[in-house]
Every structure is written in structure tokens, then in C-alpha cells.
């Protein structure tokens, strides 16, 4: 579930925050799903519990999770902040894929037609001409 690079220049708690955000944004972790306890996750990842606690605090500050005293930490319902971040990730992914398609010989017109067809299909029918 978590791949942390102990040799990375990025602090472990930041890596953990990013990974948990990815799991929440991609909806692998669902709204109101309980996160592993600090102690359990620290044992699984063999890192200091304070590092986990710091990551959870950061996620709570950013609105990704909420805590209930004595019960643990849970995934927050999607907010505009999370949705805009998810949209930004989709845009970045699309940019990479479209750049690759252009590089491989697909024309801009083909891409536009493809987008147009996807839009029509997502609305559930044919376009009124």
C-alpha cells in the first residue's frame, strides 16, 4: 500500500502524506473509511510513530482526513480542494498522453474528434445536428 524511499531527500512524512492523498483522490480509500492506527502503520512501515502522527496531522490540516478522539482517523468527504487537485492530476495525465499521441503521429484533428466523441458518449446519446 505504501512505498517509502528512505534514501529520498523528501522527508518520510511528506512521502506518506503524498501517498495517502493519492489513495484518497483516486478513491482507493473511500469517504469515512478508517485509516490504520498510528501504532499499526508505524509497525507495518517500521518507522517512528511520530512520523505517522505528523503526516496524519498534515492531512487533517489540508482537509483530507478527520479524527475522532478515541476512535481514530477517517477519510473526509470530497471537498472542492480535493476535487480541484484531482482535476489538476487528470489534466497533467492528459497532457502527457496527448503529447505522446502527437509524437507517435496522431494528428490534432484526430485528438479533437476523439474528445468530441467522448463528450457525446458521456452525455448518453448522439449530438443534435
Amino acid at each position: 500500500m505504501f512505498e517509502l524511499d528512505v534514501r529520498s531527500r523528501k522527508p518520510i512524512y511528506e512521502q506518506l502524506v503524498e501517498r495517502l492523498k493519492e489513495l484518497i483522490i483516486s478513491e482507493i480509500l473511500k469517504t469515512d473509511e478508517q485509516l490504520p492506527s498510528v501504532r499499526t502503520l508505524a509497525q507495518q512501515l517500521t518507522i517512528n510513530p511520530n512520523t505517522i502522527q505528523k503526516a496524519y496531522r498534515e492531512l487533517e490540516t489540508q482537509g483530507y482526513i478527520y479524527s475522532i478522539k478515541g476512535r481514530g482517523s477517517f477519510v473526509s468527504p470530497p471537498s472542492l480542494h480535493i476535487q480541484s487537485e484531482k482535476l489538476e492530476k487528470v489534466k497533467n495525465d492528459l497532457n502527457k498522453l496527448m503529447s505522446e499521441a502527437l509524437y507517435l503521429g496522431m494528428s490534432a484533428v484526430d485528438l479533437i474528434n476523439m474528445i468530441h466523441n467522448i463528450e457525446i458518449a458521456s452525455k448518453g446519446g448522439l449530438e443534435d445536428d
Side-chain angles (χ1 to χ4, degrees):
M1 188 168 174
F2 297 99
E3 292 179 22
L4 302 175
D5 183 2
V6 292
R7 288 182 253 136
S8 172
R9 289 185 166 185
K10 184 176 282 194
I12 291 175
Y13 90 94
E14 283 183 15
Q15 293 179 47
L16 188 57
V17 167
E18 282 184 12
R19 184 66 183 132
L20 284 166
K21 282 168 68 171
E22 287 174 14
L23 293 172
I24 292 168
I25 289 170
S26 63
E27 297 178 2
I28 293 170
L29 292 174
K30 307 283 185 212
T31 299
D32 296 325
E33 184 175 338
Q34 186 169 11
L35 297 176
S37 72
V38 169
R39 186 175 298 154
T40 300
L41 194 54
Q43 287 173 345
Q44 287 175 354
L45 299 175
T46 61
I47 58 177
N48 191 311
N50 292 332
T51 303
I52 307 291
Q53 187 62 44
K54 187 173 183 177
Y56 278 13
R57 238 185 334 231
E58 180 65 26
L59 287 165
E60 191 165 2
T61 300
Q62 293 179 18
Y64 286 89
I65 66 172
Y66 63 93
S67 297
I68 299 175
K69 194 164 184 82
R71 300 237 9 249
S73 298
F74 301 83
V75 176
S76 294
S79 68
L80 291 177
H81 174 71
I82 293 173
Q83 289 174 346
S84 67
E85 221 172 280
K86 187 173 182 177
L87 184 59
E88 196 59 39
K89 183 182 181 328
V90 168
K91 285 180 183 178
N92 288 336
D93 292 346
L94 278 171
N95 191 7
K96 289 176 189 172
L97 288 170
M98 288 191 293
S99 296
E100 187 174 352
L102 289 169
Y103 175 78
L104 294 172
M106 190 175 214
S107 72
V109 171
D110 290 338
L111 280 172
I112 291 167
N113 288 334
M114 185 183 222
I115 292 167
H116 183 70
N117 291 335
I118 292 168
E119 182 181 33
I120 291 169
S122 71
K123 291 181 180 175
L126 297 174
E127 182 180 349
D128 294 326
D129 283 11

